[in-house]
Amino acid sequence: MSPESTPRPAARATIDLITAAWHTQAVYAAAKLGLPDLIEAGHTGPAELAKAAGADEDAVRRLLRLLLRLGVVEGDENAGYRNTDVGDMLRDRPGSLRDVSLLYGEEFYRAWGESIETFRTGRTGFEKAYGRSLVGYLGEDPDAAERFQRAMKAQAKNFAFDAVPQHIDFGADRHIVDIGGGSGQLLATVLGAAPEARGTLIDLEHTMPIARAHLEQTVGADRADLVAGDMFTTPVPREADTYLLSRVLGDWQEEDCVRLLRSIREAMAPHSRLLIIEMVVQDGKAGLLAPLWDLHLMVVNGGHQRSIGEYRELADRTGLSIERSVQLPMETSALVLTPAG
């Protein structure tokens, strides 16, 4: 076998890494065009799919050829295409990841296109791409804010919220406070496991409509108070049984985290606990999602996924103690903190 024909595993692995962004955009294009929904509706051939989507037939045919290899669809253009379980997750329906695909294929993809700015200067790629922070962008564009919240809600369902009550008992709680609670999915899940408890959700104004709708549909509007405000300046309700911080600290630098944790610690009673849900970066090669999300947060909003040691340092600085760590699905951890003795 000549050197030119010898398999080169390292070269193939490198090419796979280099072209991974094309996978993202192919899946995004399918979701944006609504191909999974059109397939579900019975449009299974490239020509009829293109016509129904208002798209170019040749482009759709070639896109489907790749989606077949990516496991999004199965079948062929003669017999027709069908959605796989992955394709079904890209349909425009409750519980799908379509909004996540749109967010990552549009705003986040554009931010990553400016990631070299982050690595060179520390400034976020999102600011370079959009001229303002992610929070500022969402505050100025109601449609984008609503889509962002839908995407966060969809991700929450797949990032372990439902598993939390399986590992942590909320049965004795009477008041649960979710700080930066977003769509209300975690609070609703926890209240479902705490029949005697009331909840309070604190987050920015643009999150309120989706949070209100979700809580009304799941646990009832009478079980939770919604407080619109900046979590750094809005007073934290005092002496609640459980405080929740889910996928919040990862968005902020150390001093901001210290400020927030201190305000929660000051509000806690001796019996209170704080539940932090985040991806925790492991040592060595274990776990790919956490370091991926660490870089993603850095590029998009200057955030940071931390190791357990870094969380211990935050706890020590803010009068808290990590009582235990619970492993959840998708490389997510729940850290249970209590007031330090």
Side-chain angles (χ1 to χ4, degrees):
M1 183 178 290
S2 67
E4 290 78 9
S5 62
T6 302
R8 302 178 61 196
R12 175 55 192 264
T14 304
I15 291 295
D16 287 344
L17 290 173
I18 292 169
T19 59
W22 300 351
H23 299 191
T24 301
Q25 288 304 100
V27 171
Y28 160 73
K32 186 74 171 180
L33 291 170
L35 297 186
D37 293 287
L38 293 172
I39 290 172
E40 191 68 20
H43 304 282
T44 62
E48 56 182 309
L49 278 169
K51 183 177 180 180
D56 180 78
E57 181 179 338
D58 181 58
V60 168
R61 176 175 287 106
R62 293 158 69 180
L63 174 59
L64 287 164
R65 186 169 60 194
L66 177 58
L67 294 175
L68 176 68
R69 289 158 174 80
L70 293 178
V72 177
V73 298
E74 58 188 7
D76 58 54
E77 64 177 273
N78 295 318
Y81 289 100
R82 303 176 300 278
N83 288 319
T84 64
D85 290 343
V86 174
D88 193 58
M89 289 299 294
L90 295 169
R91 289 173 53 205
D92 187 5
R93 60 173 181 80
S96 83
L97 292 174
R98 181 175 186 268
D99 285 311
V100 178
S101 177
L102 298 182
L103 177 66
Y104 281 69
E106 293 179 8
E107 286 93 346
F108 287 173
Y109 195 84
R110 185 175 166 190
W112 268 92
E114 301 289 352
S115 62
I116 195 64
E117 176 80 6
T118 303
F119 296 112
R120 282 179 172 160
T121 70
R123 182 187 176 202
T124 70
F126 195 96
E127 290 178 277
K128 174 72 171 176
Y130 286 91
R132 53 201 184 281
S133 69
L134 174 61
V135 172
Y137 172 80
L138 296 176
E140 296 169 8
D141 189 329
D143 291 338
E146 183 177 353
R147 180 158 50 85
F148 179 85
Q149 287 303 321
R150 290 199 308 267
M152 294 303 101
K153 181 179 177 181
Q155 281 199 119
K157 185 173 181 63
N158 293 280
F159 277 78
F161 281 5
D162 291 348
V164 171
Q166 299 173 23
H167 299 276
I168 298 171
D169 183 13
F170 298 95
D173 284 14
R174 294 296 181 270
H175 188 195
I176 298 164
V177 178
D178 193 352
I179 301 166
S183 67
Q185 185 152 344
L186 177 60
L187 181 58
T189 300
V190 172
L191 287 175
E196 303 300 320
R198 286 189 54 79
T200 301
L201 184 146
I202 301 171
D203 211 327
L204 298 175
E205 180 68 41
H206 70 259
T207 70
M208 294 293 112
I210 290 180
R212 183 175 295 106
H214 184 73
L215 289 163
E216 286 176 352
Q217 292 168 5
T218 51
V219 297
D222 60 331
R223 292 198 60 197
D225 299 315
L226 301 183
V227 179
D230 185 331
M231 63 186 175
F232 290 102
T233 57
T234 300
V236 177
R238 300 189 63 80
E239 300 187 353
D241 299 292
T242 299
Y243 296 87
L244 304 173
L245 273 179
S246 177
R247 300 173 70 197
V248 169
L249 296 182
D251 291 340
W252 301 95
Q253 294 297 321
E254 304 309 295
E255 294 310 312
D256 293 314
C257 292
V258 167
R259 184 158 54 105
L260 180 58
L261 290 173
R262 280 178 177 161
S263 70
I264 296 171
R265 173 62 184 91
E266 290 170 2
M268 294 172 77
H271 75 279
S272 300
R273 62 185 174 179
L274 167 63
L275 182 61
I276 296 174
I277 299 178
E278 292 281 357
M279 288 185 179
V280 176
V281 179
Q282 307 296 323
D283 293 331
K285 293 185 177 180
L288 178 62
L289 284 178
L292 271 176
W293 244 263
D294 179 43
L295 287 186
H296 175 67
L297 291 173
M298 180 174 66
V299 168
V300 170
N301 63 5
H304 180 36
Q305 295 288 18
R306 297 173 172 84
S307 67
I308 190 66
E310 289 173 304
Y311 278 112
R312 288 198 183 98
E313 291 176 7
L314 284 176
D316 289 343
R317 292 182 62 186
T318 54
L320 294 164
S321 175
I322 298 178
E323 182 181 280
R324 64 186 175 120
S325 174
V326 177
Q327 190 63 43
L328 300 172
M330 299 289 277
E331 298 182 25
T332 302
S333 296
L335 307 179
V336 181
L337 288 77
T338 54

